[in-house]
mmCIF file of all heavy atoms in Angstrom:
data_model
loop_
_atom_site.group_PDB
_atom_site.id
_atom_site.type_symbol
_atom_site.label_atom_id
_atom_site.label_comp_id
_atom_site.label_asym_id
_atom_site.label_seq_id
_atom_site.Cartn_x
_atom_site.Cartn_y
_atom_site.Cartn_z
ATOM 1 N N PHE A 1 1.785 27.868 -104.341
ATOM 2 C CA PHE A 1 2.914 28.624 -103.796
ATOM 3 C C PHE A 1 4.204 27.818 -103.884
ATOM 4 O O PHE A 1 5.239 28.313 -104.324
ATOM 5 C CB PHE A 1 2.624 28.994 -102.340
ATOM 6 C CG PHE A 1 3.846 29.413 -101.570
ATOM 7 C CD1 PHE A 1 4.312 30.707 -101.644
ATOM 8 C CD2 PHE A 1 4.533 28.502 -100.764
ATOM 9 C CE1 PHE A 1 5.447 31.096 -100.934
ATOM 10 C CE2 PHE A 1 5.660 28.886 -100.049
ATOM 11 C CZ PHE A 1 6.118 30.186 -100.136
ATOM 12 N N TRP A 2 4.141 26.548 -103.463
ATOM 13 C CA TRP A 2 5.344 25.734 -103.438
ATOM 14 C C TRP A 2 5.839 25.398 -104.845
ATOM 15 O O TRP A 2 7.052 25.344 -105.079
ATOM 16 C CB TRP A 2 5.096 24.463 -102.640
ATOM 17 C CG TRP A 2 5.076 24.737 -101.173
ATOM 18 C CD1 TRP A 2 3.996 24.785 -100.341
ATOM 19 C CD2 TRP A 2 6.216 25.047 -100.356
ATOM 20 N NE1 TRP A 2 4.383 25.104 -99.072
ATOM 21 C CE2 TRP A 2 5.733 25.264 -99.045
ATOM 22 C CE3 TRP A 2 7.574 25.158 -100.606
ATOM 23 C CZ2 TRP A 2 6.577 25.587 -97.995
ATOM 24 C CZ3 TRP A 2 8.419 25.477 -99.549
ATOM 25 C CH2 TRP A 2 7.913 25.686 -98.270
ATOM 26 N N LEU A 3 4.932 25.178 -105.764
ATOM 27 C CA LEU A 3 5.344 24.892 -107.130
ATOM 28 C C LEU A 3 6.124 26.071 -107.718
ATOM 29 O O LEU A 3 7.084 25.878 -108.471
ATOM 30 C CB LEU A 3 4.128 24.578 -108.007
ATOM 31 C CG LEU A 3 3.394 23.273 -107.682
ATOM 32 C CD1 LEU A 3 2.135 23.150 -108.524
ATOM 33 C CD2 LEU A 3 4.297 22.055 -107.907
ATOM 34 N N GLU A 4 5.725 27.282 -107.353
ATOM 35 C CA GLU A 4 6.424 28.460 -107.842
ATOM 36 C C GLU A 4 7.667 28.765 -107.016
ATOM 37 O O GLU A 4 8.624 29.350 -107.521
ATOM 38 C CB GLU A 4 5.480 29.660 -107.854
ATOM 39 C CG GLU A 4 4.316 29.498 -108.830
ATOM 40 C CD GLU A 4 3.469 30.751 -108.952
ATOM 41 O OE1 GLU A 4 4.011 31.855 -108.737
ATOM 42 O OE2 GLU A 4 2.272 30.626 -109.263
ATOM 43 N N ALA A 5 7.656 28.366 -105.745
ATOM 44 C CA ALA A 5 8.817 28.626 -104.881
ATOM 45 C C ALA A 5 10.043 27.870 -105.354
ATOM 46 O O ALA A 5 11.178 28.269 -105.091
ATOM 47 C CB ALA A 5 8.497 28.244 -103.436
ATOM 48 N N PHE A 6 9.827 26.757 -106.062
ATOM 49 C CA PHE A 6 10.947 25.949 -106.535
ATOM 50 C C PHE A 6 11.858 26.746 -107.467
ATOM 51 O O PHE A 6 13.090 26.627 -107.404
ATOM 52 C CB PHE A 6 10.412 24.713 -107.259
ATOM 53 C CG PHE A 6 11.456 23.952 -108.030
ATOM 54 C CD1 PHE A 6 12.338 23.094 -107.383
ATOM 55 C CD2 PHE A 6 11.568 24.086 -109.405
ATOM 56 C CE1 PHE A 6 13.301 22.390 -108.083
ATOM 57 C CE2 PHE A 6 12.529 23.386 -110.114
ATOM 58 C CZ PHE A 6 13.398 22.538 -109.455
ATOM 59 N N ASN A 7 11.277 27.556 -108.347
ATOM 60 C CA ASN A 7 12.098 28.303 -109.306
ATOM 61 C C ASN A 7 12.980 29.321 -108.613
ATOM 62 O O ASN A 7 14.098 29.593 -109.063
ATOM 63 C CB ASN A 7 11.199 29.001 -110.329
ATOM 64 C CG ASN A 7 10.445 28.013 -111.190
ATOM 65 O OD1 ASN A 7 10.953 26.961 -111.548
ATOM 66 N ND2 ASN A 7 9.200 28.346 -111.511
ATOM 67 N N GLY A 8 12.480 29.906 -107.531
ATOM 68 C CA GLY A 8 13.310 30.802 -106.736
ATOM 69 C C GLY A 8 13.469 32.199 -107.275
ATOM 70 O O GLY A 8 14.155 33.020 -106.663
ATOM 71 N N ASP A 9 12.866 32.502 -108.425
ATOM 72 C CA ASP A 9 13.100 33.814 -109.026
ATOM 73 C C ASP A 9 11.822 34.635 -109.185
ATOM 74 O O ASP A 9 11.811 35.632 -109.899
ATOM 75 C CB ASP A 9 13.764 33.662 -110.399
ATOM 76 C CG ASP A 9 12.904 32.825 -111.356
ATOM 77 O OD1 ASP A 9 11.857 32.317 -110.933
ATOM 78 O OD2 ASP A 9 13.312 32.679 -112.526
ATOM 79 N N GLY A 10 10.751 34.217 -108.500
ATOM 80 C CA GLY A 10 9.480 34.907 -108.698
ATOM 81 C C GLY A 10 8.942 35.532 -107.431
ATOM 82 O O GLY A 10 9.579 35.558 -106.378
ATOM 83 N N THR A 11 7.738 36.058 -107.558
ATOM 84 C CA THR A 11 7.005 36.620 -106.429
ATOM 85 C C THR A 11 5.726 35.810 -106.262
ATOM 86 O O THR A 11 5.405 34.951 -107.072
ATOM 87 C CB THR A 11 6.658 38.093 -106.675
ATOM 88 O OG1 THR A 11 5.796 38.177 -107.830
ATOM 89 C CG2 THR A 11 7.917 38.896 -106.943
ATOM 90 N N PHE A 12 4.984 36.101 -105.212
ATOM 91 C CA PHE A 12 3.717 35.404 -104.995
ATOM 92 C C PHE A 12 2.812 36.292 -104.176
ATOM 93 O O PHE A 12 3.278 37.017 -103.291
ATOM 94 C CB PHE A 12 3.941 34.081 -104.253
ATOM 95 C CG PHE A 12 2.773 33.129 -104.337
ATOM 96 C CD1 PHE A 12 2.626 32.298 -105.432
ATOM 97 C CD2 PHE A 12 1.822 33.082 -103.335
ATOM 98 C CE1 PHE A 12 1.545 31.430 -105.526
ATOM 99 C CE2 PHE A 12 0.747 32.220 -103.416
ATOM 100 C CZ PHE A 12 0.613 31.386 -104.517
ATOM 101 N N SER A 13 1.527 36.251 -104.484
ATOM 102 C CA SER A 13 0.587 37.077 -103.738
ATOM 103 C C SER A 13 -0.682 36.307 -103.445
ATOM 104 O O SER A 13 -1.120 35.470 -104.236
ATOM 105 C CB SER A 13 0.246 38.354 -104.518
ATOM 106 O OG SER A 13 -0.375 38.029 -105.753
ATOM 107 N N TYR A 14 -1.246 36.574 -102.276
ATOM 108 C CA TYR A 14 -2.536 36.033 -101.858
ATOM 109 C C TYR A 14 -3.540 37.184 -101.879
ATOM 110 O O TYR A 14 -3.276 38.248 -101.315
ATOM 111 C CB TYR A 14 -2.451 35.507 -100.423
ATOM 112 C CG TYR A 14 -2.013 34.089 -100.288
ATOM 113 C CD1 TYR A 14 -0.680 33.766 -100.104
ATOM 114 C CD2 TYR A 14 -2.943 33.048 -100.326
ATOM 115 C CE1 TYR A 14 -0.276 32.459 -99.954
ATOM 116 C CE2 TYR A 14 -2.538 31.737 -100.176
ATOM 117 C CZ TYR A 14 -1.209 31.444 -99.990
ATOM 118 O OH TYR A 14 -0.818 30.157 -99.849
ATOM 119 N N ASP A 15 -4.664 36.955 -102.479
ATOM 120 C CA ASP A 15 -5.749 37.936 -102.428
ATOM 121 C C ASP A 15 -6.938 37.253 -101.766
ATOM 122 O O ASP A 15 -7.596 36.402 -102.359
ATOM 123 C CB ASP A 15 -6.121 38.403 -103.840
ATOM 124 C CG ASP A 15 -4.962 39.132 -104.506
ATOM 125 O OD1 ASP A 15 -4.390 40.011 -103.860
ATOM 126 O OD2 ASP A 15 -4.635 38.817 -105.659
ATOM 127 N N ARG A 16 -7.175 37.621 -100.529
ATOM 128 C CA ARG A 16 -8.222 36.977 -99.740
ATOM 129 C C ARG A 16 -9.321 37.969 -99.389
ATOM 130 O O ARG A 16 -9.053 39.158 -99.209
ATOM 131 C CB ARG A 16 -7.640 36.415 -98.438
ATOM 132 C CG ARG A 16 -6.522 35.386 -98.644
ATOM 133 C CD ARG A 16 -7.091 34.038 -99.001
ATOM 134 N NE ARG A 16 -6.046 33.040 -99.178
ATOM 135 C CZ ARG A 16 -5.521 32.328 -98.195
ATOM 136 N NH1 ARG A 16 -5.904 32.528 -96.960
ATOM 137 N NH2 ARG A 16 -4.601 31.420 -98.453
ATOM 138 N N ILE A 17 -10.532 37.489 -99.254
ATOM 139 C CA ILE A 17 -11.644 38.338 -98.827
ATOM 140 C C ILE A 17 -11.659 38.465 -97.314
ATOM 141 O O ILE A 17 -11.859 39.542 -96.753
ATOM 142 C CB ILE A 17 -12.993 37.757 -99.317
ATOM 143 C CG1 ILE A 17 -13.040 37.792 -100.851
ATOM 144 C CG2 ILE A 17 -14.161 38.545 -98.728
ATOM 145 C CD1 ILE A 17 -14.286 37.161 -101.431
ATOM 146 N N THR A 18 -11.405 37.344 -96.640
ATOM 147 C CA THR A 18 -11.546 37.317 -95.186
ATOM 148 C C THR A 18 -10.241 37.638 -94.461
ATOM 149 O O THR A 18 -10.216 37.749 -93.261
ATOM 150 C CB THR A 18 -12.025 35.932 -94.729
ATOM 151 O OG1 THR A 18 -11.108 34.927 -95.222
ATOM 152 C CG2 THR A 18 -13.405 35.652 -95.279
ATOM 153 N N ARG A 19 -9.131 37.766 -95.205
ATOM 154 C CA ARG A 19 -7.856 38.072 -94.559
ATOM 155 C C ARG A 19 -7.168 39.202 -95.311
ATOM 156 O O ARG A 19 -7.521 39.543 -96.433
ATOM 157 C CB ARG A 19 -6.933 36.847 -94.567
ATOM 158 C CG ARG A 19 -7.457 35.640 -93.804
ATOM 159 C CD ARG A 19 -6.434 34.529 -93.864
ATOM 160 N NE ARG A 19 -6.920 33.290 -93.284
ATOM 161 C CZ ARG A 19 -6.222 32.156 -93.269
ATOM 162 N NH1 ARG A 19 -5.036 32.108 -93.799
ATOM 163 N NH2 ARG A 19 -6.738 31.065 -92.724
ATOM 164 N N ASP A 20 -6.131 39.745 -94.684
ATOM 165 C CA ASP A 20 -5.339 40.753 -95.370
ATOM 166 C C ASP A 20 -4.620 40.099 -96.551
ATOM 167 O O ASP A 20 -4.201 38.942 -96.487
ATOM 168 C CB ASP A 20 -4.304 41.362 -94.414
ATOM 169 C CG ASP A 20 -4.963 42.169 -93.313
ATOM 170 O OD1 ASP A 20 -6.103 42.619 -93.533
ATOM 171 O OD2 ASP A 20 -4.325 42.328 -92.257
ATOM 172 N N ASP A 21 -4.464 40.863 -97.634
ATOM 173 C CA ASP A 21 -3.727 40.356 -98.776
ATOM 174 C C ASP A 21 -2.272 40.133 -98.377
ATOM 175 O O ASP A 21 -1.711 40.845 -97.543
ATOM 176 C CB ASP A 21 -3.789 41.344 -99.940
ATOM 177 C CG ASP A 21 -5.206 41.495 -100.485
ATOM 178 O OD1 ASP A 21 -6.029 40.619 -100.186
ATOM 179 O OD2 ASP A 21 -5.459 42.490 -101.189
ATOM 180 N N VAL A 22 -1.661 39.110 -98.992
ATOM 181 C CA VAL A 22 -0.273 38.779 -98.691
ATOM 182 C C VAL A 22 0.527 38.868 -99.977
ATOM 183 O O VAL A 22 0.185 38.224 -100.979
ATOM 184 C CB VAL A 22 -0.149 37.350 -98.106
ATOM 185 C CG1 VAL A 22 1.319 37.004 -97.881
ATOM 186 C CG2 VAL A 22 -0.926 37.245 -96.802
ATOM 187 N N TYR A 23 1.575 39.670 -99.961
ATOM 188 C CA TYR A 23 2.461 39.783 -101.123
ATOM 189 C C TYR A 23 3.857 39.342 -100.714
ATOM 190 O O TYR A 23 4.415 39.857 -99.742
ATOM 191 C CB TYR A 23 2.496 41.212 -101.656
ATOM 192 C CG TYR A 23 3.480 41.385 -102.794
ATOM 193 C CD1 TYR A 23 3.260 40.789 -104.038
ATOM 194 C CD2 TYR A 23 4.644 42.124 -102.615
ATOM 195 C CE1 TYR A 23 4.167 40.937 -105.074
ATOM 196 C CE2 TYR A 23 5.563 42.282 -103.641
ATOM 197 C CZ TYR A 23 5.313 41.689 -104.870
ATOM 198 O OH TYR A 23 6.229 41.814 -105.895
ATOM 199 N N ILE A 24 4.396 38.362 -101.428
ATOM 200 C CA ILE A 24 5.726 37.829 -101.140
ATOM 201 C C ILE A 24 6.658 38.260 -102.266
ATOM 202 O O ILE A 24 6.608 37.715 -103.369
ATOM 203 C CB ILE A 24 5.689 36.297 -101.026
ATOM 204 C CG1 ILE A 24 4.670 35.869 -99.958
ATOM 205 C CG2 ILE A 24 7.071 35.735 -100.687
ATOM 206 C CD1 ILE A 24 4.430 34.368 -99.903
ATOM 207 N N PRO A 25 7.498 39.257 -102.037
ATOM 208 C CA PRO A 25 8.335 39.781 -103.120
ATOM 209 C C PRO A 25 9.439 38.831 -103.559
ATOM 210 O O PRO A 25 9.943 38.939 -104.668
ATOM 211 C CB PRO A 25 8.929 41.063 -102.518
ATOM 212 C CG PRO A 25 8.911 40.821 -101.050
ATOM 213 C CD PRO A 25 7.702 39.997 -100.777
ATOM 214 N N SER A 26 9.818 37.915 -102.695
ATOM 215 C CA SER A 26 10.915 36.996 -103.011
ATOM 216 C C SER A 26 10.503 35.583 -102.620
ATOM 217 O O SER A 26 10.675 35.168 -101.485
ATOM 218 C CB SER A 26 12.182 37.420 -102.246
ATOM 219 O OG SER A 26 13.218 36.477 -102.446
ATOM 220 N N ASN A 27 9.976 34.848 -103.570
ATOM 221 C CA ASN A 27 9.463 33.508 -103.292
ATOM 222 C C ASN A 27 10.557 32.477 -103.574
ATOM 223 O O ASN A 27 10.592 31.857 -104.637
ATOM 224 C CB ASN A 27 8.225 33.238 -104.160
ATOM 225 C CG ASN A 27 7.504 31.976 -103.751
ATOM 226 O OD1 ASN A 27 7.753 31.424 -102.686
ATOM 227 N ND2 ASN A 27 6.614 31.497 -104.596
ATOM 228 N N THR A 28 11.473 32.326 -102.630
ATOM 229 C CA THR A 28 12.627 31.438 -102.793
ATOM 230 C C THR A 28 12.765 30.569 -101.552
ATOM 231 O O THR A 28 13.208 31.041 -100.503
ATOM 232 C CB THR A 28 13.924 32.257 -102.990
ATOM 233 O OG1 THR A 28 13.725 33.218 -104.019
ATOM 234 C CG2 THR A 28 15.085 31.346 -103.361
ATOM 235 N N VAL A 29 12.370 29.310 -101.663
ATOM 236 C CA VAL A 29 12.438 28.394 -100.527
ATOM 237 C C VAL A 29 13.014 27.064 -100.977
ATOM 238 O O VAL A 29 12.466 26.409 -101.865
ATOM 239 C CB VAL A 29 11.051 28.153 -99.894
ATOM 240 C CG1 VAL A 29 11.208 27.349 -98.599
ATOM 241 C CG2 VAL A 29 10.330 29.455 -99.630
ATOM 242 N N SER A 30 14.140 26.685 -100.394
ATOM 243 C CA SER A 30 14.675 25.339 -100.597
ATOM 244 C C SER A 30 13.931 24.382 -99.677
ATOM 245 O O SER A 30 13.366 24.799 -98.658
ATOM 246 C CB SER A 30 16.172 25.307 -100.293
ATOM 247 O OG SER A 30 16.897 26.126 -101.191
#
């Protein structure tokens, strides 16, 4: 997640069996 957050222009999603799926439409973190 953090490696992709550096670019600031992408999305990110978690697909988990034991938890609700997580979709991050704006993966931008300084």
Side-chain angles (χ1 to χ4, degrees):
F1 163 83
W2 285 105
L3 292 174
E4 295 186 28
F6 168 79
N7 295 324
D9 59 356
T11 62
F12 197 84
S13 62
Y14 272 93
D15 296 312
R16 301 281 181 86
I17 295 176
T18 56
R19 298 182 186 177
D20 293 336
D21 294 343
V22 177
Y23 176 68
I24 304 172
S26 175
N27 190 14
T28 309
V29 188
S30 296

